[in-house]
Amino acid sequence: MSSTSLTVSKANQTSITPRAAFPRARVCVDCRTLLGPKEACDGGPKHRVVSIETPTGRNALRTEVWGPPSVRRRAKQLAKAGGTSLGAGSIFEGCTGCSDCGTAALEGEFVVIVAVIALIAAAGVALYWIIAKIVEAIRAYQNRPRPNGGITKPPSLGRRAGPSGVVMGQTGMLAPATGTSCVAWSLDLRNKRFLGTDLMLHDAETSGFEVKLDDGTTLRVPGGRIRIEGPRERVDRSDASPVDEFVQTISHEDDPEDAGLDPFPFDTVDEIVVRPGDRVRVFGELEREADPAAPGGYRASNVLLVPKGVPALRVERQEDRK
Ligand SMILES: [Zn+2]
């Protein structure tokens, strides 16, 4: 049975999962958006971008997430120490000798009283030991290094709302977290925390698709990077192993001291998908382009619209997922 399911999943992968729509080479340390080679962040020139392909770039990112190397080392030492021990172990050990007390040549009620006292004492020691262990675990938890998310959110779609229409075409990719077949996806990797921002990585791509706009015009979205807003589905990290595997490929460890301090730590994934049939609104500037597939001149019916720059759209109504 296992060999059959393996064959099926392999067949699905080869037939439906394309190679990545763009190479992940850089990351914005301010909003944590993954970018292609030489790309600037959509958030503008104030967003600092570093390479994830060089030790220098990766160290700059780790410094944003976990603090400078000296802070990272101290945080790890504190977490390992787990606070000061309450010395419960030695008390516990000292008392194991008590079990022999009951074997002394004592009789009657006296034996019972001693046994009861010994039991109460043992229970007290056990309780003390349990509390000490809990306190130690809490201290280790409080001292653990805590990652910082991006200081700003990835840029929104902007104010330039354009036309809306319906997504056409065939699904060409699988969304990494939910495995939904789709034409585009977006991921936000988050790490729960009490204060501060929790977004550790933002990534989105499309295999390319067309939108039939309400006025009949066709908008062509080329394969590559994309910006999407819409209904999100939250997935636990343990249920999103393809995401985990992908993040491992971009999380090189340059210094053994940084073991366990991942540049993209996360526990949940928020995913947005775009599927054929979805109603979407397009944002940003659009350009006109002659449709190479249509015969004739540069007439309206033969003109395609294409986004200028990175395509941006909002999913306004979603088809039921199958
Ligand atoms: Zn940015």
Side-chain angles (χ1 to χ4, degrees):
M1 197 193 96
S2 63
S3 67
T4 314
S5 61
L6 191 70
T7 315
V8 170
S9 72
K10 266 187 182 168
N12 279 349
Q13 272 176 10
T14 47
S15 62
I16 203 161
T17 311
R19 300 225 305 274
F22 70 97
R24 272 67 171 175
R26 314 183 87 197
V27 66
C28 172
V29 296
D30 289 317
C31 72
R32 307 291 161 82
T33 302
L34 281 186
L35 302 160
K38 295 178 185 165
E39 252 190 319
C41 182
D42 309 324
K46 282 188 178 171
H47 283 222
R48 297 163 296 156
V49 174
V50 300
S51 170
I52 51 171
E53 295 179 324
T54 65
T56 313
R58 290 191 290 263
N59 189 53
L61 174 63
R62 270 204 176 80
T63 298
E64 289 291 321
V65 180
W66 298 103
S70 59
V71 173
R72 305 207 286 259
R73 264 194 297 280
R74 178 161 164 70
K76 280 187 74 177
Q77 283 162 1
L78 269 174
K80 262 187 213 157
T84 50
S85 168
L86 295 182
S90 56
I91 298 170
F92 189 63
E93 279 157 23
C95 206
T96 51
C98 290
S99 60
D100 294 331
C101 302
T103 61
L106 293 166
E107 288 178 72
E109 292 165 356
F110 199 61
V111 174
V112 174
I113 291 165
V114 169
V116 168
I117 291 170
L119 266 174
I120 291 169
V125 169
L127 188 65
Y128 183 70
W129 185 79
I130 289 165
I131 290 169
K133 282 289 165 197
I134 291 170
V135 167
E136 199 172 298
I138 290 171
R139 279 189 185 159
Y141 182 77
Q142 284 174 335
N143 288 336
R144 79 199 189 285
R146 265 163 283 194
N148 296 301
I151 55 171
T152 175
K153 286 180 184 172
S156 68
L157 299 179
R159 292 182 181 179
R160 195 192 284 259
S164 64
V166 175
V167 174
M168 313 294 285
Q170 300 289 314
T171 55
M173 62 208 312
L174 292 175
T178 59
T180 313
S181 55
C182 60
V183 295
W185 54 258
S186 158
L187 295 179
D188 280 345
L189 272 51
R190 298 181 186 281
N191 197 94
K192 270 195 268 348
R193 51 175 300 150
F194 184 59
L195 289 171
T197 55
D198 62 356
L199 182 62
M200 300 294 163
L201 184 146
H202 173 75
D203 191 19
E205 71 172 26
T206 173
S207 52
F209 60 96
E210 290 187 344
V211 180
K212 190 78 173 170
L213 298 173
D214 294 340
D215 67 357
T217 322
T218 300
L219 171 89
R220 190 170 57 81
V221 176
R225 207 155 66 74
I226 189 167
R227 289 159 59 196
I228 317 169
E229 285 179 6
R232 292 157 183 271
E233 186 162 342
R234 179 157 286 194
V235 182
D236 203 73
R237 178 175 183 162
S238 55
D239 296 326
S241 52
V243 178
D244 219 345
E245 285 162 23
F246 163 69
V247 171
Q248 292 307 317
T249 65
I250 56 167
S251 301
H252 304 276
E253 186 189 301
D254 298 303
D255 184 345
E257 288 282 345
D258 286 330
L261 302 181
D262 294 340
F264 305 105
F266 69 103
D267 45 39
T268 53
V269 184
D270 286 337
E271 185 179 79
I272 304 172
V273 295
V274 181
R275 292 170 46 79
D278 287 352
R279 172 160 279 278
V280 295
R281 183 167 296 281
V282 187
F283 283 72
E285 275 189 76
L286 304 176
E287 290 178 317
R288 293 158 75 87
E289 193 176 82
D291 184 354
Y298 202 77
R299 294 191 303 273
S301 59
N302 298 332
V303 167
L304 281 174
L305 287 175
V306 289
K308 194 177 176 185
V310 179
L313 53 89
R314 188 170 65 210
V315 180
E316 298 199 317
R317 200 182 66 227
Q318 199 143 43
E319 283 290 285
D320 287 341
R321 292 187 191 185
K322 285 149 199 147

